[in-house]
Amino acid sequence: MITTCRICKSSIKQFMSFGDMPIANGFKADKSNKDEFFYDMAVGFCNDCKMFQLLDHPEPEAMFNDSYAFFSGTSQAMTSHFRGFYESVVSKYKLDAAESFIVEIGCNDGILLDNFSQAGFKHLGVEPSGNVADVAIAKGIECTKSFFDTNLVSDLLNKGIKADLIVSANVICHIPDLNDLAQNVASLLKEDGVFVFEEPYLGAMIEKISYDQIYDEHIYIFSAISLQTAFARQGLRLIDTEKQTTHGGSMRYHFCLDESERVPAGQVSEVIAAEKEQGLDNAGTYDKFRENCETSKYQLRTLLEKLKDEGASVCGYGATSKSTTVLNYCGIGLDLIAFISDTTPIKQGKYTPGTNIPVVEPDVFYESNPDYAVLFAWNHEKEIMDKEEKLGKSSVKWIRFVPLVEII
Ligand code: DWN
Ligand code: SAH
């Protein structure tokens, strides 16, 4: 467990712990916890550089390997979102398929990079989880099965590769050595290149009490203030911010090299002013957040216990990474949730990390037609509700726990 901030090395203390946590995507072939890895999921806020961070985490190789369970393409809405990301960045920076080199950090199954690949851009995806990288490669995407680190960037530089655009989505917060990451990005960018990436947003998490964004893979939850400060130390300058609704509230950040002549957009200062107004730079905000998490936990448990007493059948919908935090923190097991339905083949037939709830295919959900389903994939609520309404195969009542615990 660290005692100094990962970014600025000031001393840092935990403001809360979510207790012993397993690997969020560590779905298991059997019900035993015998060989399961647990760590104390304690979180801290650095009062100096304002970075919200985990104080301990498993080794990256234990999370990102050849049996990674999350495939980005499981959501149609995210596929459309990434098409929009591609179109917006190509138009904003006037990228030309014949000239520009694109690097994506953490391309997963190619959900974003495929757009560049199809349009004929020279590109490279960097993806350490071999099984998801294979899906990208099968689409014809150039992808190296590797972590984005100093060795990889040195190799690329030795081959004469420099990037006009480095893109990423929901990956930068997964990289423990953020100082190293920023240095590597700075050396790989062409003089006028840009680094554009989006991440779960701290402001949204605090507002919605979506504490389930905190799990092993998310070493950081960023604000514009904390990222601007961290990356400025490594020669990168924040030039634009764009709020996104994806994953329950995200922020897209645009950085360039310090010496570039690019001018920051007006909304950067507005976003930073709004973050100060919200208190994201103030330790007291996180004490209040801890209280809100405890209330949310109490309310969810109370609702599930009441439904159990009434004899209702309850399942979960979406075996998300986030659900590992909710289930383990709230102490929810098979006594309260019979199974979780999920469309991802690699998760089906397995058991949830720490809590041993079976993950089943959607047909089991339709056949058993439970009374209630906890919507663990709450960030995909619209897509899921529309799909289930159209299918009409279930009469389930939905339970939401973000921003409030309620039956929808
Ligand atoms: O940052 C991360 C984000 C981008 O993705 C990663 N660290 C890991 C992952 O987080 P997650 O697992 O919380 O992501 P999702 O997108 O909320 O996961 C949705 C889950 O729900 C998937 O397992 C697929 C499943 N699903 C389903 O069963 N039916 C999803 C949809 C849309 C559906 O209709
Ligand atoms: N970009 C996709 C995937 C996000 S999941 C999306 O938004 O849906 C996080 C991904 O980051 C995983 O595929 C994981 O293998 C990858 N990843 C984790 N650490 C990484 C690193 N150091 N370099 C590159 N990719 C990494």
Side-chain angles (χ1 to χ4, degrees), residues 213-269:
Q213 285 295 357
I214 304 168
Y215 54 92
D216 53 4
E217 298 181 18
H218 290 180
I219 315 279
Y220 305 98
I221 307 288
F222 298 129
S223 61
I225 294 177
S226 63
L227 263 182
Q228 187 182 43
T229 308
F231 283 8
R233 297 159 59 99
Q234 312 302 337
L236 293 173
R237 188 155 53 81
L238 182 61
I239 46 168
D240 208 353
T241 47
E242 298 171 86
K243 279 199 176 168
Q244 307 294 319
T245 54
T246 44
H247 290 302
S250 299
M251 185 70 85
R252 187 177 297 162
Y253 303 93
H254 301 237
F255 282 86
C256 66
L257 292 175
D258 214 6
E259 52 275 20
S260 155
E261 280 168 15
R262 293 183 188 277
V263 181
Q267 58 265 35
V268 172
S269 50

Side-chain angles (χ1 to χ4, degrees), residues 25 64 68-70 74-76 78 169-171 173-174 200 213 215 217-218 247 317-323 341-344 347 362 376-377 379-380 383-384 387-388:
N25 272 306
F64 310 116
Y68 188 54
F70 176 70
T74 44
S75 161
Q76 284 301 320
M78 289 309 296
N170 309 300
V171 176
C173 69
H174 297 57
Q213 285 295 357
Y215 54 92
E217 298 181 18
H218 290 180
H247 290 302
Y317 192 106
T320 58
S321 321
K322 299 181 289 291
S323 67
S341 167
D342 197 289
T343 52
T344 318
K347 295 182 186 177
F376 289 116
N379 44 310
H380 301 298
E383 176 175 359
I384 290 170
K387 181 173 81 176
E388 292 303 338

Side-chain angles (χ1 to χ4, degrees), residues 36-255:
E36 209 170 353
F37 176 85
F38 286 87
Y39 66 102
D40 177 12
M41 200 171 84
V43 274
F45 170 74
C46 175
N47 239 328
D48 284 338
C49 74
K50 315 298 182 192
M51 189 61 84
F52 183 107
Q53 54 201 283
L54 287 186
L55 301 182
D56 199 6
H57 61 83
E59 288 301 314
E61 292 78 6
M63 301 185 274
F64 310 116
N65 47 47
D66 291 346
S67 49
Y68 188 54
F70 176 70
F71 288 72
S72 303
T74 44
S75 161
Q76 284 301 320
M78 289 309 296
T79 305
S80 311
H81 168 77
F82 285 124
R83 173 85 198 158
F85 185 155
Y86 156 78
E87 284 167 354
S88 148
V89 86
V90 165
S91 135
K92 183 174 166 86
Y93 294 111
K94 302 189 174 48
L95 298 169
D96 175 357
E99 302 281 328
S100 309
F101 197 100
I102 317 296
V103 172
E104 182 175 359
I105 306 176
C107 66
N108 198 278
D109 58 11
I111 192 169
L112 170 60
L113 199 52
D114 198 29
N115 292 291
F116 291 95
S117 162
Q118 295 283 339
F121 280 90
K122 286 169 283 173
H123 64 274
L124 180 69
V126 183
E127 176 50 68
S129 299
N131 59 332
V132 296
D134 281 337
V135 178
I137 293 165
K139 290 176 183 164
I141 293 171
E142 294 291 331
C143 177
T144 175
K145 294 181 184 178
S146 165
F147 285 93
F148 182 85
D149 58 16
T150 308
N151 283 340
L152 179 96
V153 171
S154 305
D155 273 2
L156 296 181
L157 293 174
N158 287 337
K159 287 180 188 148
I161 294 177
K162 282 237 169 190
D164 295 271
L165 170 71
I166 302 179
V167 276
S168 193
N170 309 300
V171 176
I172 304 308
C173 69
H174 297 57
I175 301 183
D177 194 339
L178 206 60
N179 293 333
D180 222 38
L181 174 275
Q183 274 172 29
N184 287 328
V185 164
S187 37
L188 188 59
L189 276 182
K190 284 188 186 162
E191 223 166 87
D192 207 28
V194 277
F195 177 32
V196 184
F197 61 99
E198 57 191 39
E199 301 286 311
Y201 184 49
L202 183 64
M205 185 184 84
I206 297 297
E207 186 191 326
K208 297 185 177 168
I209 323 165
S210 45
Y211 65 84
D212 58 348
Q213 285 295 357
I214 304 168
Y215 54 92
D216 53 4
E217 298 181 18
H218 290 180
I219 315 279
Y220 305 98
I221 307 288
F222 298 129
S223 61
I225 294 177
S226 63
L227 263 182
Q228 187 182 43
T229 308
F231 283 8
R233 297 159 59 99
Q234 312 302 337
L236 293 173
R237 188 155 53 81
L238 182 61
I239 46 168
D240 208 353
T241 47
E242 298 171 86
K243 279 199 176 168
Q244 307 294 319
T245 54
T246 44
H247 290 302
S250 299
M251 185 70 85
R252 187 177 297 162
Y253 303 93
H254 301 237
F255 282 86

Side-chain angles (χ1 to χ4, degrees), residues 300-317:
L300 183 58
R301 272 207 66 95
T302 306
L303 174 61
L304 295 179
E305 278 163 2
K306 178 175 155 281
L307 295 175
K308 182 185 174 188
D309 290 347
E310 291 170 2
S313 52
V314 182
C315 76
Y317 192 106

Side-chain angles (χ1 to χ4, degrees), residues 355-370:
T355 47
N356 299 317
I357 299 172
V359 181
V360 301
E361 55 187 287
D363 278 349
V364 175
F365 167 64
Y366 300 127
E367 278 153 26
S368 65
N369 199 18

